[in-house]
């Protein structure tokens, strides 16, 4: 190869100075490049004396970053030198290829860095697929091995520590997430949420001055025992959540009161409707959703409801909608809509699904009214007419008739019939200034109907404004008001706060918040999901700790 050509190619491949390309063998998928070091002498690694006496050479291949989609393989000719220093214990040494490759490595450092970056953002399986697309041959295990070799980020002193648990597997296994609240970065992931585990970590980090935590016993114990120097702060998010749980119970008890005052008429009306048993028409009749699908729907709905609760909790603490959106990895528009509606959306199938059963529906309905209610009989009747489906389908349609017929034909209930302690809880907690006039009216109605609800609302708002405005000094006054209210659940809530009083008052006063921890928990959940639930702690930890 001509020296000029070789120099050009060398600069394209960005090879370090001192490395010469001797020839190139391109194929459709691969670029094999023969390279050698051209320095005439090499220093001995032992005595550092240069030697020019070549003992021999050998070949070694190393994968490099791909070039224009082609895999690049460097075929290195590595020389062996004889050390000329008589007293040197090293007789023969291999030349180093500084900046190009480490001894024994099969990839260049820049390729390793790229593979690690792929692993960090996309994990083993996905990373391998991406690597393959860009011309890097690797396997998930190689990729993960390189990923695990990344050094842990430099440990820095933590002043303000946020601590929370997260579910590895909901209701089965939990871990603990430690976040530097000032830098908003994950600093450690612990494999469980036991006090002893957290204590051990805290003892190794005596520079922690503030521990922001939930109201659970374990973290409280750990902080008290292992970080006595630190000020403990109960996180406001958890305070709001605990208050909401209490409200739900109180309002559940008021439900009868609230609904009764509503309207005395609906009850008898319903009874007559029940007697009439209105049947669906051919166009409104739907088969009942199979239980496993119904269950999946319910699970998704529960998770949406959960997100709505979290959203309201954050908003109630005074975060803007934009901040809530960012923290929950949702669009601002979605956050706005959900909050405006006062609940998580329910996604019901909008149009009725077409079915091969449709042409026979009228006939089956007629027979049903004649008193034939057995799915099997009905099925046989229409099969004779050419119905191509199975008896299961007929069973599902018939099941829908057996279910409460009101569910199928009646429009959704309105007014205070709609009262649910769950929805009301969030009306109570939110800043009234953030509520639409419609929601304010709904709230006013509830308070009008129940004295307990009114008093509860007063105490809730008192607590929430104390929390929003950081006026922990009003905590005593609030406690007294609750005590005087005789609302048992609220008093129980107040008593539980009293047990952890210092940390609660600190939470109501100081500006520290576990918001960044919540954000990191969300990130962890997303990452865990992207790893298809196979996330092992060391790998998950490596990915989270090294993430930018
Ligand atoms: Zn030597």
């Amino acid at each position: 190869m001509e020296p000029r050509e070789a120099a050009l190619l060398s600069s394209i491949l960005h090879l370090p100075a001192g490395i010469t390309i001797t020839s190139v063998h391109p194929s459709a998928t691969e670029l094999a490049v023969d390279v050698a070091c051209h320095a005439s002498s090499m220093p001995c690694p032992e005595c550092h004396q240069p030697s020019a006496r070549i003992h021999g050479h050998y070949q070694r291949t190393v994968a490099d970053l791909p070039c224009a989609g082609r895999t690049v393989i460097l075929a290195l000719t590595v020389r062996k030198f004889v050390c000329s220093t008589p007293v040197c214990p090293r007789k023969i040494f291999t030349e180093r290829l500084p900046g190009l490759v480490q001894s024994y490595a099969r990839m260049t450092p820049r390729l390793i860095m790229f593979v690690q970056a792929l692993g960090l953002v996309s994990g083993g399986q996905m990373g391998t697929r991406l690597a393959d697309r860009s011309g890097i041959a690797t396997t998930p295990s190689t990729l993960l091995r390189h990923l695990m070799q990344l050094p842990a980020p430099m440990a820095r002193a933590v002043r303000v520590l946020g601590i929370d648990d997260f579910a590895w597997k909901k209701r089965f296994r939990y871990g603990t997430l430690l976040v530097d609240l000032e830098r908003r970065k994950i600093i450690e992931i612990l494999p469980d949420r036991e006090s002893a585990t957290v204590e051990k970590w805290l003892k190794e980090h005596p520079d922690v001055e503030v521990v922001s935590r939930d109201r659970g016993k374990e973290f409280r114990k750990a902080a008290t025992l292992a970080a006595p120097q630190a000020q403990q702060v109960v996180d406001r998010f958890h305070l709001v959540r605990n208050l909401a749980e209490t409200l739900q119970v109180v309002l559940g008890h008021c439900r009868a009161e609230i609904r009764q005052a509503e309207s005395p008429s609906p009850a008898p009306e319903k009874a007559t409707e029940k007697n009439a048993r209105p049947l669906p028409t051919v166009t409104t009749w739907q088969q009942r959703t199979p239980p496993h699908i119904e269950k999946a729907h319910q699970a998704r709905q529960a998770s949406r409801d959960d997100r709505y609760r979290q959203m309201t909790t954050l908003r109630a603490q005074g975060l803007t909608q934009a901040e809530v959106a960012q923290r929950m990895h949702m669009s601002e528009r979605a956050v706005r809509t959900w909050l405006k509606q006062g609940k998580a959306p329910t996604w019901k199938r909008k149009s009725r699904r077409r079915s091969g059963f449709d042409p026979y529906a009228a006939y089956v309905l007629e027979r049903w009214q004649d008193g034939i209610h057995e799915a099997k009989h009905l099925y046989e009747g229409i099969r004779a007419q050419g119905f191509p489906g199975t008896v299961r389908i007929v069973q599902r349609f018939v099941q829908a008739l057996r279910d409460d017929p009101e569910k199928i034909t009646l429009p959704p209930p309105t007014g205070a019939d709609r009262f649910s302690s769950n929805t009301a809880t969030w009306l109570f907690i939110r800043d009234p200034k953030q509520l639409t006039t419609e929601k304010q009216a709904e709230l006013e109605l509830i308070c009008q109907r129940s004295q307990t609800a009114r008093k509860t609302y007063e105490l809730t708002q008192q607590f929430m404004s104390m929390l929003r405005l950081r006026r922990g000094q009003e905590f005593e006054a609030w406690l007294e008001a609750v005590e005087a209210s005789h609302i048992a659940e609220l008093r129980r809530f107040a008593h539980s706060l009293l047990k952890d009083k210092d940390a609660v008052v600190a939470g109501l006063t100081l500006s520290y918040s576990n918001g960044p921890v919540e954000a990191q928990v969300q990130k962890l959940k997303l990452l865990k999901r992207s790893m298809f639930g196979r996330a092992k702690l060391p790998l998950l930890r490596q990915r989270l700790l090294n993430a930018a």
Side-chain angles (χ1 to χ4, degrees):
M1 191 176 243
E2 293 235 352
R4 259 186 59 202
E5 238 178 16
L8 180 65
L9 201 63
S10 177
S11 83
I12 289 172
L13 293 179
H14 214 280
L15 297 178
I19 304 290
T20 316
I21 294 177
T22 51
S23 61
V24 178
H25 316 278
S27 78
T29 56
E30 197 182 278
L31 203 62
V33 185
D34 295 331
V35 297
C37 183
H38 61 233
S40 55
S41 67
M42 274 285 147
C44 163
E46 205 73 40
C47 64
H48 307 288
Q49 288 304 307
S51 164
R53 284 175 57 200
I54 292 169
H55 175 71
H57 10 23
Y58 67 98
Q59 291 278 331
R60 204 179 136 194
T61 57
V62 177
D64 199 2
L65 276 177
C67 178
R70 269 189 251 190
T71 304
V72 173
I73 302 291
L74 303 179
L76 309 172
T77 302
V78 187
R79 299 171 292 177
K80 287 190 164 191
F81 287 85
V82 180
C83 179
S84 349
T85 313
V87 291
C88 182
R90 196 70 169 260
K91 299 292 170 235
I92 287 164
F93 64 91
T94 305
E95 69 180 329
R96 305 273 165 220
L97 301 165
L100 185 65
V101 64
Q102 304 271 277
S103 339
Y104 309 110
R106 291 162 66 188
M107 292 185 185
T108 58
R110 58 190 183 185
L111 179 59
I112 292 174
M113 270 168 66
F114 185 73
V115 163
Q116 283 169 334
L118 270 183
L120 272 184
V121 297
S122 48
Q125 296 291 341
M126 193 68 81
T128 309
R129 249 181 282 162
L130 278 173
D132 188 53
R133 282 278 178 89
S134 44
I136 299 166
T138 186
T139 60
S141 64
T142 308
L143 194 139
L144 294 181
R145 184 165 46 83
H146 283 300
L147 183 55
M148 294 313 289
Q149 278 163 359
L150 272 175
M154 274 250 273
R156 288 161 80 176
V158 187
R159 204 177 68 82
V160 184
L161 176 73
I163 178 166
D164 206 348
D165 57 9
F166 68 91
W168 275 110
K169 201 166 174 224
K170 218 162 194 162
R171 282 190 286 278
F172 284 105
R173 206 151 71 82
Y174 289 83
T176 300
L177 196 64
L178 302 175
V179 174
D180 181 333
L181 287 182
E182 287 178 310
R183 296 191 192 96
R184 296 170 169 257
K185 278 199 141 231
I186 296 180
I187 36 179
E188 192 51 271
I189 301 169
L190 303 176
D192 57 46
R193 52 175 180 179
E194 306 296 320
S195 174
T197 314
V198 181
E199 278 167 43
K200 182 168 176 290
W201 190 92
L202 282 171
K203 278 187 189 139
E204 288 159 7
H205 295 79
D207 21 59
V208 173
E209 289 172 27
V210 176
V211 176
S212 176
R213 57 163 172 85
D214 62 13
R215 294 183 50 222
K217 273 191 214 122
E218 296 296 311
F219 296 159
R220 180 171 155 200
K221 183 175 157 208
T224 309
L225 288 177
Q229 79 285 359
Q231 155 93 68
Q232 293 180 41
V233 180
V234 168
D235 173 51
R236 283 186 292 282
F237 181 87
H238 291 94
L239 277 176
V240 178
R241 203 161 66 183
N242 294 153
L243 173 63
E245 284 156 10
T246 307
L247 287 181
Q248 191 139 17
V249 180
V250 178
L251 290 169
H253 290 168
C254 305
R255 179 190 277 139
E257 218 178 324
I258 291 163
R259 285 181 120 166
Q260 213 166 29
E262 155 70 357
S263 58
S265 49
E269 233 173 74
K270 253 183 204 159
T272 56
E273 268 162 13
K274 224 160 209 151
N275 294 339
R277 278 216 153 228
L279 286 175
T281 65
V282 173
T283 48
T284 59
W285 192 11
Q286 294 195 40
Q287 57 176 306
R288 195 173 67 169
T289 318
H292 69 283
I293 294 179
E294 188 63 43
K295 227 167 150 186
H297 279 314
Q298 280 167 3
R300 273 198 292 274
Q301 189 61 45
S303 121
R304 279 194 295 270
D305 290 342
D306 195 43
R307 287 175 80 66
Y308 175 73
R309 278 192 286 276
Q310 193 182 357
M311 180 185 292
T312 325
T313 310
L314 291 170
R315 188 81 174 101
Q317 287 175 71
L319 268 77
T320 65
Q321 291 186 348
E323 284 165 337
V324 174
Q326 196 195 7
R327 193 161 292 174
M328 298 191 58
H329 300 274
M330 286 175 76
S331 77
E332 216 181 310
R333 209 177 122 187
V335 170
R336 205 164 44 236
T337 319
W338 287 32
L339 285 173
K340 205 171 157 198
Q341 287 173 345
K343 61 179 170 52
T346 45
W347 276 293
K348 291 232 173 77
R349 204 185 293 132
K350 283 196 189 80
S351 58
R352 201 174 143 268
R353 212 168 52 189
R354 313 277 316 151
S355 162
F357 178 77
D358 290 353
Y360 308 94
Y363 171 80
V364 175
L365 272 181
E366 223 169 87
R367 309 264 347 242
W368 175 274
Q369 276 163 319
D370 290 345
I372 298 167
H373 292 176
E374 286 249 8
K376 213 174 153 213
H377 286 162
L378 294 165
Y379 167 70
E380 271 155 16
I382 57 173
R383 195 181 55 169
Q385 297 171 39
F387 172 60
T390 62
V391 67
R392 282 290 307 134
I393 295 173
V394 180
Q395 275 167 352
R396 279 189 209 129
F397 273 93
V398 167
Q399 198 61 53
L401 294 181
R402 290 212 176 96
D403 288 348
D404 190 359
E406 288 164 51
K407 265 205 307 210
I408 306 161
T409 47
L410 294 184
T414 50
D417 247 3
R418 232 173 19 184
F419 174 82
S420 90
S421 52
N422 192 13
T423 325
T425 295
W426 300 104
L427 279 179
F428 270 48
I429 277 188
R430 284 172 69 179
D431 186 345
K433 290 197 286 290
Q434 292 170 5
L435 296 177
T436 59
T437 29
E438 191 194 333
K439 291 284 165 204
Q440 280 174 7
E442 205 174 306
L443 182 64
E444 187 47 42
L445 208 66
I446 294 171
C447 291
Q448 265 173 25
R449 289 199 182 130
S450 158
Q451 272 307 310
T452 314
R454 178 177 293 283
K455 190 68 206 167
T456 304
Y457 182 66
E458 237 169 67
L459 291 168
T460 302
Q461 281 301 315
Q462 211 176 323
F463 187 86
M464 288 308 297
S465 79
M466 175 163 73
L467 180 141
R468 273 192 288 265
L469 304 171
R470 314 266 186 283
R471 290 204 297 241
Q473 72 273 17
E474 294 171 6
F475 185 60
E476 289 286 352
W478 180 81
L479 280 177
E480 278 167 31
V482 171
E483 203 58 45
S485 77
H486 301 296
I487 300 170
E489 293 87 353
L490 275 179
R491 284 170 67 185
R492 211 168 302 138
F493 173 64
H495 290 170
S496 75
L497 295 181
L498 210 50
K499 278 187 210 146
D500 198 7
K501 192 177 167 198
D502 289 347
V504 169
V505 172
L508 292 171
T509 314
L510 304 174
S511 62
Y512 303 116
S513 150
N514 268 13
V517 186
E518 293 293 326
Q520 300 295 348
V521 169
Q522 287 293 333
K523 201 156 132 190
L524 184 146
K525 278 189 197 159
L526 290 175
L527 188 56
K528 208 153 60 68
R529 205 174 306 154
S530 80
M531 292 159 94
F532 309 105
R534 280 170 307 187
K536 295 275 185 300
L537 177 72
L539 178 59
L540 190 66
R541 177 179 179 273
Q542 190 72 345
R543 284 183 70 183
L544 280 168
L545 262 49
N546 280 286

